[in-house]
Amino acid sequence: MAKKAVATFAAKSGSRSMVKCIRMDKSPKTGAYVFTEQLVDSGKEKDFFEKK
């Protein structure tokens, strides 16, 4: 089962809201799955999950 989670964080400055995205990728060296986590701007989650 693929792990695709998006958790929202409240921005204290109020200027931007960030979300933490977690994507499961397959390692080209070992073939094992690794999890890639990144904080991205709200509204750009789709770009994060599309690129590899």
Side-chain angles (χ1 to χ4, degrees), residues 19-34:
V19 292
K20 182 178 182 180
C21 297
I22 303 169
R23 177 180 64 216
M24 186 172 67
D25 295 326
K26 195 168 190 175
S27 174
K29 291 183 180 179
T30 62
Y33 288 101
V34 294

Side-chain angles (χ1 to χ4, degrees), residues 10-23:
K12 293 184 180 180
S13 63
S15 60
R16 288 188 174 181
S17 61
M18 302 289 281
V19 292
K20 182 178 182 180
C21 297
I22 303 169
R23 177 180 64 216

